[in-house]
Amino acid sequence: MTARIIDNLRKFQEFLLETGLARSVLALPAPRMLALPSPTTEAAEPANVFTRLVTESEIVDVSRDLFSSGHYSIAVQEAFKAVDRYIATKADSHSLSGTQMMELVFSPNAPILYWSDRKTQSEIDEQKGYHRLYAGAMLGIRNPVTHEFNWVDDPDSALELIVFAQHLIRKAKVAKVGTGKKGN
């Protein structure tokens, strides 16, 4: 049954290519597997771990299917783009994106998003640390994965990065919204 379905899909793909209809479709690299493995096989373990660990809808919606089909780099890229979009929406900062936006939004001196009054050293350190984590995630993960083909090519590394993106989303969800002026 499965072999017949795959054969029919191949014939349909050939038809699309022959008629020229496939030219308007996004060309993704070939997935690493023809069909998803059975949930009980060892090959399905990364997808099963993904399902157990990644639960934030902003991340799941954009990366689960890509991850499960072996498009690890694109799954990571979409997860960090989701972080970028979430921060832009929450901070109402749509004119900037990426590292520049994170530098502004989480600025230790006048943040738009913050978690405390920044009166104790621990509170100040938290703001400074997450400022660097958000900006660093855009500079060191989102940018390379967007500009380099297959920057992440194994499921374990991809899963680690996607879980980190989820942590950033969760942390942003509990952040308070300020004015971006000193003394929020």
Side-chain angles (χ1 to χ4, degrees):
M1 177 70 178
T2 304
R4 196 172 94 218
I5 292 171
I6 292 173
D7 188 49
N8 286 339
L9 283 172
R10 284 190 188 126
K11 287 178 184 174
F12 182 65
Q13 286 177 323
E14 289 172 9
F15 168 77
L16 289 175
L17 287 170
E18 288 171 8
T19 60
L21 294 174
R23 292 187 185 138
S24 64
V25 177
L26 175 64
L28 293 174
R32 288 171 173 54
M33 57 191 99
L34 286 176
L36 295 177
S38 163
T40 58
T41 66
E42 188 176 315
E45 186 57 27
N48 291 339
V49 173
F50 182 100
T51 301
R52 285 192 306 272
L53 289 179
V54 183
T55 58
E56 292 297 324
S57 62
E58 296 85 355
I59 303 294
V60 171
D61 293 348
V62 299
S63 64
R64 179 188 55 219
D65 293 343
L66 290 164
F67 182 88
S68 294
S69 64
H71 297 292
Y72 305 120
S73 204
I74 299 171
V76 171
Q77 174 185 343
E78 291 303 317
F80 280 89
K81 285 167 54 179
V83 171
D84 193 71
R85 280 190 303 274
Y86 184 85
I87 301 300
T89 300
K90 182 158 185 171
D92 196 25
S93 179
H94 299 286
S95 61
L96 294 173
S97 68
T99 307
Q100 286 183 318
M101 179 179 63
M102 301 304 169
E103 292 281 357
L104 173 72
V105 169
F106 295 103
S107 166
N109 297 323
I112 296 172
L113 297 182
Y114 62 97
W115 297 275
S116 67
D117 294 331
R118 297 170 318 283
K119 294 192 186 302
T120 68
Q121 190 61 49
S122 291
E123 292 173 341
I124 293 167
D125 290 347
E126 179 185 35
Q127 188 70 37
K128 284 181 180 178
Y130 274 97
H131 168 248
R132 290 180 179 166
L133 285 173
Y134 278 95
M138 295 299 115
L139 188 62
I141 300 169
R142 191 207 66 174
N143 290 354
V145 81
T146 300
H147 300 294
E148 300 291 329
F149 182 71
N150 276 346
W151 188 73
V152 178
D153 64 355
D154 70 279
D156 293 337
S157 296
L159 190 56
E160 290 170 357
L161 293 169
I162 292 168
V163 168
F164 178 54
Q166 176 175 259
H167 173 73
L168 295 176
I169 288 267
R170 286 181 175 169
K171 191 70 175 170
K173 284 182 175 182
V174 298
K176 300 171 191 171
V177 180
T179 60
K181 295 181 180 7
K182 203 164 178 100
N184 278 335

